[in-house]
Amino acid sequence: MSLILQAKASLRQMIKQRINGLSSYEKDQQSKIIMNQVLSLEEFKKSQRISIYLSLKDEVNTLPILQYMFSSGKQCFIPHFENQEMIMIKLESYEAYEHLPVANSWGIKQPLVFDQSLDAIHSGGLDLIFMPGLAFTKDGARLGRGMGYYDKYLQKCEDNGKLPKTIALIFKEQLVDEVPTWQHDKSVDMVLFPTQQEIDELLKENL
């Protein structure tokens, strides 16, 4: 057990160092590529009830995807954390997002009142969840930040009879060959990341 914990901690540190080595410009360029990948996905096009996390500075920028979801009439749900619990609450508009307070220690916007009855599970479930994380393999093995929020939430979805599709959005520096996992760690169905060729082509366009 301790060996897996140590391996996870070591990989988290390595990935954080990789991401810290990226400039804001490089993150923006990779985020643009991933945005285009998302919009071309049939899984995204077909999904109506979608959960998307509000990205931190060390994550692929999800706000353009959030804006697109509202403009295309999709129902948007965002994570709401309290202690060891996470629910997915509906966000009615981009303006509603802008007016949300920063209400947790990570600097992520969310409502002040945590209400389990507002969880997406109680109103029809979710078709798709965009999954955050620090490291992923191409086949979907995931290393999160150590809190287990999404593993527990996906189990709750499964227990309620509707397991959504899951997609990770990552910088290419977050892709690894192997992730140490526990039996209860959930993999994702798809991992989207820019190839070096895509990055080089975008850089040429911007010259």
Side-chain angles (χ1 to χ4, degrees), residues 14-78:
M14 183 185 78
I15 297 300
K16 287 178 180 179
Q17 289 174 346
R18 285 186 185 180
I19 297 173
N20 287 339
L22 292 172
S23 67
S24 296
Y25 178 76
E26 289 172 315
K27 293 176 188 176
D28 288 343
Q29 298 309 298
Q30 292 200 44
S31 293
K32 288 177 183 177
I33 293 169
I34 292 170
M35 168 75 172
N36 290 332
Q37 291 178 348
V38 169
L39 298 189
S40 68
L41 277 180
E42 285 302 315
E43 290 85 352
F44 179 71
K45 294 176 183 177
K46 293 176 181 177
S47 296
Q48 288 301 313
R49 295 170 60 88
I50 302 174
S51 166
I52 188 164
Y53 57 97
L54 303 179
S55 51
L56 299 169
K57 291 181 179 180
D58 62 351
E59 294 175 324
V60 168
N61 184 7
T62 60
L63 292 186
I65 302 172
L66 182 70
Q67 290 174 308
Y68 179 86
M69 286 168 58
F70 286 123
S71 68
S72 59
K74 296 183 183 294
Q75 296 183 59
C76 175
F77 297 81
I78 59 171

Side-chain angles (χ1 to χ4, degrees), residues 110-165:
Q110 65 179 35
L112 292 173
V113 178
F114 187 85
D115 186 348
Q116 289 272 11
S117 69
L118 298 179
D119 193 344
I121 283 177
H122 304 308
S123 61
L126 295 165
D127 302 320
L128 172 65
I129 296 180
F130 286 109
M131 297 273 288
L134 281 174
F136 293 83
T137 63
K138 286 184 178 180
D139 61 359
R142 170 181 177 269
L143 177 71
R145 295 179 184 268
M147 299 298 291
Y149 287 118
Y150 279 84
D151 293 326
K152 289 184 286 187
Y153 192 81
L154 286 173
Q155 186 60 55
K156 188 163 61 170
C157 291
E158 188 172 2
D159 293 343
N160 278 271
K162 185 176 181 181
L163 187 61
K165 291 288 185 181

